[in-house]
Amino acid sequence: MPKKSTMPSKNATALTLAAAALVASTGLAAAQTVCYVNAADSHAYATPANEALQARAAELGIEILSLSQDFDVQKGTEQLNTCVARGVDGIILWPLDPQAYIPGLARAQQAEIPAILINSPMDEAAGRFVLSFTGPDVYHQGELAADALGTALGGEGSVVVIAGQAGNGTTIGRVGGFVDRLAEVGSNIEILDTVNADFDQQKALVQSRDLITRFGDRIDGVYANDDTMARGFIDAWKEARPNQPMPPIVGINGQRDAFESIRTGEMHATIVQSPVEDGRLAMDTMARILEGEEVETRLPIPLTVVTSANVNDVEPAF
């Protein structure tokens, strides 16, 4: 029986060279997999951020293993451990808690898997286990919200705060920046109460009904940690006090609905942060890491305060 040739065919050689050229053009040594532990699959902000991240990964030739926490911290910590066990090339984590993921991130570091955070910060203790945090400066958003609401109220009055998820890094930053800024400028604005509505419109509606029942005419202004919860308060106010003027409301995210609410006078301001920029920046940062580049430990996305003065000059975030 004649021996089969061990020499590659011309076609096989051509294919190998083409593959090598493709790898060289992407700057990656081989097809790589990044585990993305996202906040949720279905959410007004998280969904477009997820889609932007995955679209950018496809452009870069990077495979994404996407795992959804569904806003469940315990589920997220288990998913992070799964990423480490899978031996992926990189991890992008959307943390829902400032501390809970630290053990998993430590295991990733031991396995020499680079990890970064997207969108939400963690405690300083997590810093030694991640190479970068990309996303909005949530503390500064709170400061900007305080300035906007302070301007609307002339530095005096009583307000309610509709916060996101208890213990969440974004919530902590957005509330902390707001409270600290009011104190810094010597504001006479009093916070009547701070409630958690988990970045959910229906929960915000329920909480707002209770706030309106308890405080009524004492509510001079509202700070909502995002525009979705701001809409919950607007609906509750219309329901309870249809013939009374809406108090000034400041939200965050820059949603189209918020822009329309500013135009109609139902909201005073929103702070634009783009989920598309959020997702793309995280993916670009991880791609640079996989290529062996050093990256900055903090990579923010731009923020824009939108009021009636510039609502027609700025594009909504989503």
Side-chain angles (χ1 to χ4, degrees), residues 29-44:
Q32 294 169 298
T33 300
V34 170
C35 195
Y36 174 39
V37 182
N38 67 59
D41 279 333
S42 180
H43 181 264

Side-chain angles (χ1 to χ4, degrees), residues 213-274:
T213 298
R214 287 191 287 133
F215 299 113
D217 292 335
R218 293 182 62 196
I219 300 176
D220 299 312
V222 180
Y223 167 42
N225 276 182
D226 75 357
D227 295 335
T228 300
M229 296 188 294
R231 171 51 58 184
F233 183 89
I234 291 170
D235 291 343
W237 186 271
K238 286 181 174 180
E239 176 187 280
R241 296 166 178 264
N243 299 316
Q244 293 190 21
M246 190 77 63
I249 302 170
V250 174
I252 295 175
N253 280 352
Q255 296 175 213
R256 293 185 186 279
D257 177 71
F259 274 51
E260 289 305 312
S261 296
I262 289 171
R263 291 188 179 101
T264 61
E266 290 179 342
M267 281 183 68
H268 173 68
T270 184
I271 300 167
V272 175
Q273 71 170 61
S274 168

Side-chain angles (χ1 to χ4, degrees), residues 91-93 114-118 130-134 282 285-286 289:
I91 294 172
I92 299 175
L93 170 66
I116 66 171
L117 306 179
I118 177 177
V130 297
L131 297 180
S132 186
F133 164 44
T134 70
T285 302
M286 178 53 69
I289 291 169

Side-chain angles (χ1 to χ4, degrees), residues 168-191:
N168 175 273
T170 294
T171 301
I172 293 169
R174 288 179 179 176
V175 174
F178 183 81
V179 173
D180 291 349
R181 181 62 174 167
L182 292 180
E184 179 186 344
V185 300
S187 173
N188 290 321
I189 292 176
E190 173 194 5
I191 298 175

Side-chain angles (χ1 to χ4, degrees), residues 10-317:
K10 290 183 178 180
N11 287 341
T13 301
L15 287 172
T16 300
L17 291 173
L22 178 61
V23 168
S25 69
T26 60
L28 300 174
Q32 294 169 298
T33 300
V34 170
C35 195
Y36 174 39
V37 182
N38 67 59
D41 279 333
S42 180
H43 181 264
Y45 185 91
T47 299
N50 298 344
E51 292 172 348
L53 184 148
Q54 296 199 52
R56 183 57 178 151
E59 293 173 357
L60 295 167
I62 297 173
E63 294 182 7
I64 295 292
L65 171 61
S66 186
L67 304 175
S68 174
Q69 300 178 73
D70 297 316
F71 290 113
D72 184 330
V73 175
Q74 179 61 37
K75 184 176 181 180
T77 58
E78 293 170 359
Q79 290 171 337
L80 179 56
N81 290 331
T82 297
C83 294
V84 176
R86 287 282 296 268
V88 295
D89 298 293
I91 294 172
I92 299 175
L93 170 66
W94 191 318
L96 303 176
D97 182 273
Q99 298 178 331
Y101 306 88
I102 291 177
L105 290 170
R107 281 188 281 273
Q109 187 181 76
Q110 291 172 350
E112 298 184 345
I113 302 173
I116 66 171
L117 306 179
I118 177 177
N119 185 267
S120 301
M122 288 183 62
D123 281 353
E124 289 184 5
R128 59 184 290 201
F129 303 115
V130 297
L131 297 180
S132 186
F133 164 44
T134 70
D137 184 334
V138 292
Y139 184 86
H140 186 48
Q141 287 176 327
E143 293 178 317
L144 293 173
D147 289 342
L149 198 53
T151 298
L153 297 177
E156 297 183 353
S158 301
V159 304
V160 293
V161 177
I162 305 175
Q165 203 171 32
N168 175 273
T170 294
T171 301
I172 293 169
R174 288 179 179 176
V175 174
F178 183 81
V179 173
D180 291 349
R181 181 62 174 167
L182 292 180
E184 179 186 344
V185 300
S187 173
N188 290 321
I189 292 176
E190 173 194 5
I191 298 175
L192 295 170
D193 198 5
T194 299
V195 298
N196 293 102
D198 298 345
F199 301 108
D200 182 272
Q201 182 173 330
Q202 184 59 35
K203 290 181 180 179
L205 173 65
V206 173
Q207 292 280 25
S208 297
R209 285 169 175 162
D210 177 65
L211 289 170
I212 293 167
T213 298
R214 287 191 287 133
F215 299 113
D217 292 335
R218 293 182 62 196
I219 300 176
D220 299 312
V222 180
Y223 167 42
N225 276 182
D226 75 357
D227 295 335
T228 300
M229 296 188 294
R231 171 51 58 184
F233 183 89
I234 291 170
D235 291 343
W237 186 271
K238 286 181 174 180
E239 176 187 280
R241 296 166 178 264
N243 299 316
Q244 293 190 21
M246 190 77 63
I249 302 170
V250 174
I252 295 175
N253 280 352
Q255 296 175 213
R256 293 185 186 279
D257 177 71
F259 274 51
E260 289 305 312
S261 296
I262 289 171
R263 291 188 179 101
T264 61
E266 290 179 342
M267 281 183 68
H268 173 68
T270 184
I271 300 167
V272 175
Q273 71 170 61
S274 168
V276 173
E277 291 185 12
D278 210 353
R280 287 181 65 87
L281 178 59
M283 191 64 252
D284 281 338
T285 302
M286 178 53 69
R288 289 172 57 196
I289 291 169
L290 295 179
E291 291 172 359
E293 293 184 32
E294 290 189 7
V295 299
E296 297 84 347
T297 57
R298 180 69 180 93
L299 290 164
I301 60 174
L303 305 173
T304 304
V305 178
V306 175
T307 65
S308 59
N310 64 343
V311 69
N312 294 320
D313 301 322
V314 179
E315 284 294 319

